[in-house]
Amino acid sequence: MAHRVAIALIGLLAAASGFGQTYDILLKGGRVIDPANRIDAVMDVAVAGDQIARVTRDIPSEQAKRVIDVTGYIVTPGLIDLHAHVYGYSGALWPDDTQLTTGTTTVVDCGGSGWRTFDDFKKTVIDRTGTRVFAFLNIVGKGMVGEQAENDVADMSPEKTAAKMAEYPDLIVGIKTAHFARKGYAAVERAVEAGKLSGKPVIIDMRITTEYDRTTQRIFEIMRPGDLRTHSYSDHQVELLDRSTRKIHPFVREARRRGLLFDVGHGNGSFIFPVASDAMKDDFAPDTISTDLHNSSIFTTKSDMPNVISKFLHFGMPLGEAIEKSTVRPAKVIRKFPELGTLGEGRVADIAVFKLQEGLFGFTDSRLRRLLATRKLEAALTLRAGRLVFDQDGLAFPDWRSAGDYEIIPAP
Ligand SMILES: [Zn+2]
């Protein structure tokens, strides 16, 4: 009987403690960096359901069901990786494994699917992942499935590409062209034509520029303001920098002035330390930070979002700017701002928590050269639409010593 009363009492106490708890999760005491709202300060972030409910100083712990102490950590909007591979391409990775574990809540698949394969992409990946997945649709109808398909100009239909984009205007955010190993500008022209028909941006990879009798200047002329060039810090064709002066080519600066955007797209073969170093010294930071993460780069250059951000921190980019180029800027490029890329109150609670480690850390680039740096950004915790999906340090859980007695397991 006494036992039953005690249980009832516990129930009452639980109900009482629930009273006034407006928030489901409270991230307490972290350094909040939310460039969209010009915030870089120690603040609390309260989440209710799948939304950010409040961002301010000193939200009382009693108002939340679950309080997570993130003192000493950095709290940002969930990162947006503008260039990764999660479908079609042979090196595609399941995004939850590689993105949610690195503070990245949104990923854009960069050309894995074309208009012929997008429905399958949606059914097998987009509809099934915890990560929010968008697509740059390949101008090739079959998508990024190998050289033969990717060189097939007859399968590059701006009309059919734009028609598929009109069918899924929320999911398909632009067009990709890549790996075109034939002469001429057909791939770029058709991708831009699809961009004009759909009113969306085109992202162009490095190899399509100066190989095969093409010039970067001509490509830039075809591109429109808001279109992107990815793999910017590769020097396969020495495009950004003049090798003799190690300065940015004037025509590259002119392209930026005209509104062309420069994305990182680190990957396995597209990020070289001296190029990034010289470009940063000559005031040519990227517009957007992205990984080009696939099944090779995840092992060689380990280029997930915090890794790429850490490299730019080393080359002099302030942390706030790196976060901006991994949140607000990509959200704007894919026309998802302010729905994404901010910790604004009422926005979806896609939130990343990082630690900025100090010490001595080794990084590698596409030539597998080593860089020693003194800071390293590491993902600690990820919320996706208010749900705790990753917690590297067990921040959300009670200390083991406060968790009560041993659970006695009877001997067999
Ligand atoms: Zn790629």
Side-chain angles (χ1 to χ4, degrees):
M1 186 66 181
H3 185 62
R4 224 176 272 166
V5 169
I7 287 173
L9 197 61
I10 288 166
L12 274 175
L13 283 171
S17 68
F19 185 74
Q21 288 179 336
T22 323
Y23 309 121
D24 294 302
I25 294 177
L26 179 60
L27 299 172
K28 204 149 183 44
R31 173 184 169 192
V32 173
I33 302 181
D34 180 18
N37 291 303
R38 296 169 197 274
I39 293 173
D40 184 346
V42 172
M43 284 196 179
D44 298 344
V45 178
V47 173
D50 63 357
Q51 289 186 354
I52 293 162
R54 193 112 173 80
V55 180
T56 189
R57 285 176 213 278
D58 301 323
I59 300 173
S61 294
E62 305 76 53
Q63 292 181 9
K65 290 177 192 143
R66 188 176 208 174
V67 179
I68 305 175
D69 183 356
V70 290
T71 305
Y73 289 78
I74 291 159
V75 182
T76 76
L79 305 185
I80 300 173
D81 186 354
L82 207 58
H83 181 167
H85 294 280
V86 303
Y87 176 83
Y89 178 57
S90 60
L93 298 165
W94 189 249
D96 296 356
D97 301 343
T98 52
Q99 304 284 356
L100 294 179
T101 52
T102 54
T104 310
T105 49
T106 298
V107 61
V108 187
D109 178 76
C110 208
S113 68
W115 67 268
R116 293 179 195 276
T117 57
F118 180 79
D119 288 332
D120 183 64
F121 175 29
K122 181 176 182 299
K123 193 172 70 189
T124 57
V125 180
I126 295 176
D127 292 346
R128 295 176 53 205
T129 54
T131 317
R132 187 191 309 280
V133 178
F134 297 122
F136 282 119
L137 206 60
N138 204 307
I139 189 60
V140 177
K142 293 194 187 81
M144 197 178 282
V145 291
E147 201 163 307
Q148 201 182 350
E150 290 172 78
N151 287 333
D152 184 4
V153 176
D155 196 30
M156 298 179 186
S157 166
E159 293 77 19
K160 286 181 171 144
T161 302
K164 185 55 73 179
M165 296 173 77
E167 217 179 302
Y168 297 103
D170 293 336
L171 294 177
I172 306 175
V173 297
I175 304 112
K176 169 84 182 284
T177 178
H179 307 162
F180 185 54
R182 287 177 58 182
K183 287 190 173 183
Y185 297 88
V188 182
E189 284 166 352
R190 292 190 186 204
V192 170
E193 185 57 29
K196 286 176 184 165
L197 292 171
S198 62
K200 293 197 170 166
V202 172
I203 183 164
I204 294 180
D205 94 342
M206 144 281 287
R207 198 176 158 201
I208 209 154
T209 50
T210 48
E211 282 183 15
Y212 305 101
D213 214 21
R214 288 183 280 270
T215 68
T216 305
Q217 286 96 324
R218 178 71 194 121
I219 303 260
F220 283 175
E221 283 166 23
I222 300 169
M223 290 167 72
R224 308 156 301 161
D227 288 341
L228 304 101
R229 178 239 203 268
T230 188
H231 303 316
S232 295
Y233 299 89
S234 144
D235 77 339
H236 290 208
Q237 288 88 37
V238 202
E239 290 167 63
L240 281 192
L241 293 158
D242 180 329
R243 258 191 200 185
S244 55
T245 62
R246 301 172 71 172
K247 299 281 183 194
I248 297 292
H249 285 298
F251 78 87
V252 172
R253 280 198 198 284
E254 181 50 35
R256 171 168 272 181
R257 262 194 295 275
R258 205 162 64 77
L260 269 52
L261 303 174
F262 292 83
D263 175 56
V264 175
H266 186 304
N268 201 32
S270 306
F271 189 89
I272 313 286
F273 287 142
V275 175
S277 171
D278 285 344
M280 289 295 288
K281 275 185 206 150
D282 201 23
D283 193 27
F284 204 86
D287 292 291
T288 49
I289 290 175
S290 71
T291 65
D292 187 20
L293 204 61
H294 51 70
N295 72 355
S296 307
S297 59
I298 199 166
F299 289 108
T300 52
T301 58
K302 297 159 294 273
S303 57
D304 58 32
M305 285 296 284
N307 173 290
V308 183
I309 289 172
S310 299
K311 289 167 180 172
F312 276 98
L313 295 183
H314 178 80
F315 290 123
M317 184 183 285
L319 179 62
E321 184 183 330
I323 299 303
E324 183 189 6
K325 289 173 171 177
S326 309
T327 56
V328 191
R329 293 300 300 271
K332 284 183 175 169
V333 167
I334 59 172
R335 321 250 170 94
K336 299 288 181 186
F337 184 83
E339 296 83 12
L340 300 177
T342 155
L343 295 176
E345 292 173 4
R347 299 297 171 195
V348 68
D350 287 0
I351 304 174
V353 177
F354 295 99
K355 48 189 168 183
L356 189 56
Q357 304 271 47
E358 304 221 345
L360 203 53
F361 306 99
F363 296 90
T364 46
D365 72 355
S366 298
R367 288 198 183 130
L368 294 178
R369 299 293 193 264
R370 186 178 187 214
L371 165 79
L372 285 177
T374 54
R375 288 184 300 166
K376 184 180 189 184
L377 194 70
E378 282 187 358
L381 183 143
T382 310
L383 295 184
R384 168 73 178 91
R387 214 161 51 82
L388 180 68
V389 291
F390 175 71
D391 185 358
Q392 176 72 32
D393 294 352
L395 289 171
F397 303 108
D399 187 278
W400 68 277
R401 290 162 300 186
S402 68
D405 294 324
Y406 288 102
E407 183 185 350
I408 305 297
I409 301 165

Short mmCIF file of all heavy atoms in Angstrom, two decimals, residues 400 404-408:
data_model
loop_
_atom_site.label_atom_id
_atom_site.label_comp_id
_atom_site.label_asym_id
_atom_site.label_seq_id
_atom_site.Cartn_x
_atom_site.Cartn_y
_atom_site.Cartn_z
N TRP A 400 27.55 9.43 -14.68
CA TRP A 400 27.29 8.05 -14.25
C TRP A 400 27.19 7.93 -12.74
O TRP A 400 26.50 7.08 -12.20
CB TRP A 400 28.37 7.12 -14.80
CG TRP A 400 29.74 7.33 -14.20
CD1 TRP A 400 30.65 8.27 -14.58
CD2 TRP A 400 30.33 6.62 -13.12
NE1 TRP A 400 31.79 8.21 -13.83
CE2 TRP A 400 31.61 7.18 -12.92
CE3 TRP A 400 29.92 5.56 -12.32
CZ2 TRP A 400 32.48 6.72 -11.92
CZ3 TRP A 400 30.80 5.10 -11.34
CH2 TRP A 400 32.06 5.68 -11.14
N GLY A 404 22.52 6.46 -9.84
CA GLY A 404 21.98 5.46 -8.92
C GLY A 404 22.90 4.27 -8.75
O GLY A 404 24.04 4.28 -9.22
N ASP A 405 22.37 3.26 -8.09
CA ASP A 405 23.17 2.09 -7.74
C ASP A 405 23.41 1.20 -8.95
O ASP A 405 22.83 1.40 -10.00
CB ASP A 405 22.47 1.29 -6.64
CG ASP A 405 22.40 2.10 -5.36
OD1 ASP A 405 23.37 2.84 -5.08
OD2 ASP A 405 21.39 2.02 -4.68
N TYR A 406 24.24 0.23 -8.72
CA TYR A 406 24.43 -0.80 -9.74
C TYR A 406 23.11 -1.47 -10.05
O TYR A 406 22.29 -1.68 -9.16
CB TYR A 406 25.38 -1.89 -9.22
CG TYR A 406 26.81 -1.48 -9.11
CD1 TYR A 406 27.35 -1.14 -7.87
CD2 TYR A 406 27.61 -1.42 -10.24
CE1 TYR A 406 28.67 -0.77 -7.77
CE2 TYR A 406 28.93 -1.06 -10.13
CZ TYR A 406 29.46 -0.73 -8.90
OH TYR A 406 30.76 -0.37 -8.80
N GLU A 407 22.99 -1.80 -11.28
CA GLU A 407 21.89 -2.70 -11.62
C GLU A 407 22.41 -4.11 -11.35
O GLU A 407 23.45 -4.50 -11.90
CB GLU A 407 21.52 -2.54 -13.10
CG GLU A 407 20.35 -3.38 -13.51
CD GLU A 407 20.11 -3.28 -15.01
OE1 GLU A 407 20.72 -2.42 -15.67
OE2 GLU A 407 19.31 -4.07 -15.51
N ILE A 408 21.77 -4.81 -10.41
CA ILE A 408 22.27 -6.13 -10.03
C ILE A 408 21.80 -7.16 -11.04
O ILE A 408 20.60 -7.34 -11.24
CB ILE A 408 21.79 -6.52 -8.62
CG1 ILE A 408 22.18 -5.43 -7.61
CG2 ILE A 408 22.36 -7.89 -8.22
CD1 ILE A 408 23.66 -5.21 -7.45
#
